[in-house]
Amino acid sequence: MSSAPDIDVLVLGGAGVDTIVYVPELPLPFADSYTIRPGIETRAGQTGDFVALGLSALGLRTHHLDMLGEDPEGDLVRALHRDHGIPLTEVPQPAGTKRAVNLVGPDGRRLSLYDGTRGGDADRLPEDTVLALASASRHAHVSITQPCALALPVLRSAGVTVSTDLHDWDGENPYHASFAHAADVVFLSAAALDDPERTMRGIVAHGRAREVVATAGADGAYLLADGELTRVPAVAPPSPVVDSNGAGDAFAAAYLFGRLTGEPPRRSALYGAVAGAHACTVPSTRTDGIGRAALLARVAGLDAAS
């Protein structure tokens, strides 16, 4: 008889560093220079980091696996995981730790500039490492960074369920499709989709997924589960919106929390909506995920009000 898994969620990829720049408006008009307030700050936290932080804040045993460089950015990522008590298995990245610049407007909208030099086609997560961690996990959440595509067959061989976030996929790019069709649960943004339902049903028709969620910002989200499409209303943030960075990652983390604690898809999507709304009230310079008690209390409040 096999022992119970030691890890609730293995997060693959998406570790990196962002430099946050608050700008007076987006798009930013051309000018020779701008004076930026409250300033420019570099901190650890990209999509995999945010999902890992969100899962851990909700009490799930989380482990993060990715490639990191021996550089100041890598040190920031290591410190972030150490400070939050999240185990991190790192694979050497000679090209350096992933980094980006996020321009954030007064309304919380974000424009991200990713450094395309921090990685290459030869990047690999060792199969034996992926297999060992996946075999000790209940679930794996896969970022769409390049090394993770090659890890998908290994995860499947380990028998672990898989989720992924396609972010602003247009429904056509074949790179994203490989992740979409290998996952049991798929998250994506509806921002670049003319017909979210068509794209969501296409994911189900061509892959393994039985649950697909397309987030739509202030318009809530679309949930496709068991062949039925429903709308998930947006949840009012508990305080003023300052930044949308990390809202999708928070949604995914809370949805997975619901799923792994036995909740049905609609309930899990409500958890996601509450966590996403909370994330919009947290400045990009911080990495605070909603805790389990706060999440359940806000959901209970919504239940009582309905």
Side-chain angles (χ1 to χ4, degrees):
M1 183 175 179
S2 61
S3 60
D6 297 320
I7 302 167
D8 290 314
V9 184
L10 171 64
V11 178
L12 282 78
V17 166
D18 287 345
T19 296
I20 311 301
V21 184
Y22 288 98
V23 296
E25 60 182 302
L26 283 175
L28 186 65
F30 176 77
D32 180 71
S33 63
Y34 285 90
T35 298
I36 299 299
R37 298 185 186 279
I40 297 172
E41 184 169 336
T42 297
R43 57 104 179 103
Q46 292 191 355
T47 181
D49 300 311
F50 279 127
V51 171
L53 287 165
L55 292 165
S56 181
L58 291 169
L60 294 178
R61 298 166 301 170
T62 307
H63 195 111
H64 197 178
L65 167 65
D66 201 6
M67 303 184 73
L68 293 178
E70 289 295 334
D71 49 25
E73 291 86 0
D75 291 340
L76 287 174
V77 173
R78 295 179 189 96
L80 177 71
H81 288 72
R82 182 180 63 248
D83 292 347
H84 287 82
I86 301 172
L88 172 67
T89 296
E90 57 179 279
V91 176
Q93 172 53 280
T97 304
K98 291 183 288 295
R99 60 185 179 180
V101 175
N102 289 346
L103 307 184
V104 182
D107 59 356
R109 289 186 304 142
R110 178 199 67 197
L111 187 154
S112 296
L113 307 172
Y114 290 98
D115 184 345
T117 68
R118 298 289 177 111
D121 292 341
D123 293 347
R124 297 288 187 277
L125 297 174
E127 289 191 6
D128 56 347
T129 301
V130 175
L131 183 60
L133 289 171
S135 297
S137 304
R138 297 173 60 197
H139 182 82
H141 181 78
V142 184
S143 304
I144 57 171
T145 48
Q146 189 272 334
C148 297
L150 301 173
L152 291 168
V154 182
L155 295 174
R156 188 57 58 199
S157 70
V160 67
T161 55
V162 174
S163 59
T164 192
D165 189 339
L166 309 178
H167 298 282
D168 58 348
W169 186 39
D170 61 3
E172 301 293 336
N173 190 323
Y175 177 82
H176 298 70
S178 65
F179 290 89
H181 299 158
D184 302 282
V185 181
V186 175
F187 303 97
L188 73 162
S189 167
L193 302 178
D194 295 330
D195 186 343
E197 181 176 2
R198 181 181 64 193
T199 299
M200 295 167 76
R201 291 196 181 278
I203 290 171
V204 170
H206 294 98
R208 302 179 53 90
R210 292 300 173 263
E211 297 170 36
V212 182
V213 180
T215 55
D219 293 327
Y222 303 88
L223 168 66
L224 180 62
D226 299 321
E228 180 181 357
L229 183 75
T230 57
R231 289 296 298 268
V232 180
V235 172
S239 56
V241 171
V242 296
D243 199 332
S244 63
N245 190 56
D249 300 321
F251 189 112
Y255 186 100
L256 293 175
F257 165 74
R259 193 173 191 269
L260 291 170
T261 53
E263 297 290 355
R266 184 62 186 265
R267 188 74 170 176
S268 297
L270 175 60
Y271 286 2
V274 169
H278 170 85
C280 290
T281 69
V282 179
S284 273
T285 51
R286 287 167 41 199
T287 51
D288 298 333
I290 189 170
R292 182 185 294 216
L295 174 69
L296 296 179
R298 290 180 191 173
V299 170
L302 293 172
D303 289 340
S306 62

CSV table of all heavy atoms in Angstrom, one decimal, residues 20-41:
chain,number,residue,atom,x,y,z
A,20,ILE,N,9.0,46.8,-10.9
A,20,ILE,CA,7.7,47.5,-11.0
A,20,ILE,C,7.9,49.0,-11.2
A,20,ILE,O,8.6,49.6,-10.4
A,20,ILE,CB,6.9,47.3,-9.6
A,20,ILE,CG1,6.9,45.8,-9.3
A,20,ILE,CG2,5.5,47.8,-9.8
A,20,ILE,CD1,6.3,44.9,-10.3
A,21,VAL,N,7.2,49.5,-12.2
A,21,VAL,CA,7.3,50.9,-12.5
A,21,VAL,C,5.9,51.5,-12.6
A,21,VAL,O,5.1,51.1,-13.5
A,21,VAL,CB,8.0,51.2,-13.9
A,21,VAL,CG1,8.2,52.7,-14.1
A,21,VAL,CG2,9.4,50.5,-13.9
A,22,TYR,N,5.5,52.3,-11.7
A,22,TYR,CA,4.2,53.0,-11.7
A,22,TYR,C,4.2,54.2,-12.7
A,22,TYR,O,5.0,55.1,-12.5
A,22,TYR,CB,3.7,53.4,-10.3
A,22,TYR,CG,3.4,52.2,-9.5
A,22,TYR,CD1,4.3,51.7,-8.6
A,22,TYR,CD2,2.1,51.6,-9.6
A,22,TYR,CE1,3.9,50.6,-7.8
A,22,TYR,CE2,1.8,50.5,-8.8
A,22,TYR,CZ,2.7,50.0,-7.9
A,22,TYR,OH,2.3,48.9,-7.1
A,23,VAL,N,3.3,54.1,-13.7
A,23,VAL,CA,3.3,55.2,-14.7
A,23,VAL,C,2.0,56.0,-14.6
A,23,VAL,O,1.0,55.5,-14.1
A,23,VAL,CB,3.5,54.6,-16.1
A,23,VAL,CG1,4.9,53.9,-16.2
A,23,VAL,CG2,2.4,53.6,-16.4
A,24,PRO,N,2.1,57.2,-15.1
A,24,PRO,CA,0.9,58.1,-15.0
A,24,PRO,C,-0.3,57.6,-15.8
A,24,PRO,O,-1.5,57.9,-15.5
A,24,PRO,CB,1.4,59.5,-15.4
A,24,PRO,CG,2.6,59.2,-16.2
A,24,PRO,CD,3.2,58.0,-15.7
A,25,GLU,N,-0.1,56.9,-16.9
A,25,GLU,CA,-1.1,56.3,-17.7
A,25,GLU,C,-0.6,55.3,-18.6
A,25,GLU,O,0.6,55.1,-18.9
A,25,GLU,CB,-1.8,57.4,-18.5
A,25,GLU,CG,-0.9,58.2,-19.5
A,25,GLU,CD,-1.5,59.3,-20.3
A,25,GLU,OE1,-2.5,59.0,-21.0
A,25,GLU,OE2,-1.1,60.4,-20.2
A,26,LEU,N,-1.5,54.4,-19.1
A,26,LEU,CA,-1.2,53.4,-20.1
A,26,LEU,C,-2.2,53.5,-21.3
A,26,LEU,O,-3.4,53.6,-21.0
A,26,LEU,CB,-1.2,52.0,-19.5
A,26,LEU,CG,-0.1,51.5,-18.6
A,26,LEU,CD1,-0.4,50.2,-18.0
A,26,LEU,CD2,1.2,51.5,-19.4
A,27,PRO,N,-1.7,53.5,-22.5
A,27,PRO,CA,-0.3,53.5,-22.9
A,27,PRO,C,0.4,54.8,-22.5
A,27,PRO,O,-0.2,55.8,-22.4
A,27,PRO,CB,-0.4,53.4,-24.5
A,27,PRO,CG,-1.7,53.9,-24.8
A,27,PRO,CD,-2.6,53.6,-23.7
A,28,LEU,N,1.7,54.6,-22.3
A,28,LEU,CA,2.5,55.7,-21.8
A,28,LEU,C,3.0,56.6,-23.0
A,28,LEU,O,3.7,56.2,-23.9
A,28,LEU,CB,3.8,55.2,-21.1
A,28,LEU,CG,4.7,56.2,-20.4
A,28,LEU,CD1,3.9,56.8,-19.2
A,28,LEU,CD2,6.0,55.5,-19.9
A,29,PRO,N,2.5,57.9,-23.0
A,29,PRO,CA,2.9,58.8,-24.1
A,29,PRO,C,4.4,59.0,-24.2
A,29,PRO,O,5.1,58.9,-23.1
A,29,PRO,CB,2.2,60.1,-23.8
A,29,PRO,CG,1.1,59.7,-22.9
A,29,PRO,CD,1.6,58.5,-22.1
A,30,PHE,N,4.9,59.2,-25.4
A,30,PHE,CA,6.4,59.4,-25.5
A,30,PHE,C,6.8,60.7,-24.8
A,30,PHE,O,6.1,61.7,-25.0
A,30,PHE,CB,6.8,59.4,-27.0
A,30,PHE,CG,8.3,59.7,-27.1
A,30,PHE,CD1,9.2,58.8,-26.9
A,30,PHE,CD2,8.7,61.0,-27.5
A,30,PHE,CE1,10.6,59.1,-27.0
A,30,PHE,CE2,10.0,61.3,-27.6
A,30,PHE,CZ,11.0,60.3,-27.3
A,31,ALA,N,7.9,60.6,-24.1
A,31,ALA,CA,8.4,61.8,-23.5
A,31,ALA,C,9.9,61.5,-23.3
A,31,ALA,O,10.3,60.4,-23.2
A,31,ALA,CB,7.8,62.2,-22.2
A,32,ASP,N,10.7,62.6,-23.1
A,32,ASP,CA,12.1,62.4,-22.9
A,32,ASP,C,12.4,61.8,-21.5
A,32,ASP,O,13.3,60.9,-21.4
A,32,ASP,CB,12.8,63.8,-22.9
A,32,ASP,CG,14.3,63.6,-22.7
A,32,ASP,OD1,15.0,63.1,-23.6
A,32,ASP,OD2,14.8,64.1,-21.6
A,33,SER,N,11.5,62.1,-20.5
A,33,SER,CA,11.7,61.5,-19.2
A,33,SER,C,10.5,61.6,-18.4
A,33,SER,O,9.6,62.5,-18.7
A,33,SER,CB,12.9,62.1,-18.5
A,33,SER,OG,12.7,63.5,-18.2
A,34,TYR,N,10.4,60.8,-17.4
A,34,TYR,CA,9.3,60.8,-16.4
A,34,TYR,C,9.9,60.7,-15.0
A,34,TYR,O,10.9,60.0,-14.8
A,34,TYR,CB,8.3,59.7,-16.6
A,34,TYR,CG,7.4,59.8,-17.8
A,34,TYR,CD1,7.7,59.3,-19.0
A,34,TYR,CD2,6.1,60.4,-17.6
A,34,TYR,CE1,6.8,59.4,-20.1
A,34,TYR,CE2,5.2,60.5,-18.7
A,34,TYR,CZ,5.6,60.0,-19.9
A,34,TYR,OH,4.8,60.1,-21.0
A,35,THR,N,9.3,61.4,-14.1
A,35,THR,CA,9.6,61.2,-12.6
A,35,THR,C,8.6,60.2,-12.1
A,35,THR,O,7.4,60.5,-12.1
A,35,THR,CB,9.6,62.5,-11.9
A,35,THR,OG1,10.6,63.4,-12.4
A,35,THR,CG2,9.9,62.3,-10.4
A,36,ILE,N,9.1,59.1,-11.5
A,36,ILE,CA,8.2,58.1,-11.1
A,36,ILE,C,8.0,58.1,-9.6
A,36,ILE,O,9.0,58.1,-8.9
A,36,ILE,CB,8.7,56.7,-11.6
A,36,ILE,CG1,8.9,56.6,-13.1
A,36,ILE,CG2,7.9,55.6,-11.1
A,36,ILE,CD1,7.6,56.8,-13.8
A,37,ARG,N,6.7,58.1,-9.2
A,37,ARG,CA,6.4,58.0,-7.8
A,37,ARG,C,5.3,56.9,-7.7
A,37,ARG,O,4.4,56.9,-8.5
A,37,ARG,CB,6.0,59.3,-7.2
A,37,ARG,CG,7.0,60.4,-7.2
A,37,ARG,CD,6.6,61.6,-6.5
A,37,ARG,NE,7.6,62.7,-6.6
A,37,ARG,CZ,8.7,62.8,-5.9
A,37,ARG,NH1,8.9,61.9,-5.0
A,37,ARG,NH2,9.5,63.8,-6.1
A,38,PRO,N,5.3,56.0,-6.7
A,38,PRO,CA,6.2,56.0,-5.5
A,38,PRO,C,7.6,55.5,-5.7
A,38,PRO,O,8.3,55.2,-4.7
A,38,PRO,CB,5.4,55.1,-4.5
A,38,PRO,CG,4.7,54.2,-5.5
A,38,PRO,CD,4.3,55.0,-6.7
A,39,GLY,N,8.0,55.3,-6.9
A,39,GLY,CA,9.4,54.9,-7.1
A,39,GLY,C,9.4,53.6,-8.0
A,39,GLY,O,8.4,53.1,-8.5
A,40,ILE,N,10.6,53.1,-8.2
A,40,ILE,CA,10.8,51.9,-9.0
A,40,ILE,C,11.4,50.8,-8.1
A,40,ILE,O,12.3,51.1,-7.3
A,40,ILE,CB,11.8,52.1,-10.2
A,40,ILE,CG1,11.2,53.2,-11.1
A,40,ILE,CG2,12.1,50.9,-10.9
A,40,ILE,CD1,12.1,53.7,-12.2
A,41,GLU,N,10.8,49.6,-8.1
A,41,GLU,CA,11.2,48.6,-7.1
A,41,GLU,C,11.3,47.2,-7.9
A,41,GLU,O,10.4,46.9,-8.7
A,41,GLU,CB,10.2,48.5,-6.0
A,41,GLU,CG,10.6,47.5,-4.9
A,41,GLU,CD,9.8,47.5,-3.7
A,41,GLU,OE1,9.2,48.6,-3.4
A,41,GLU,OE2,9.7,46.5,-2.9
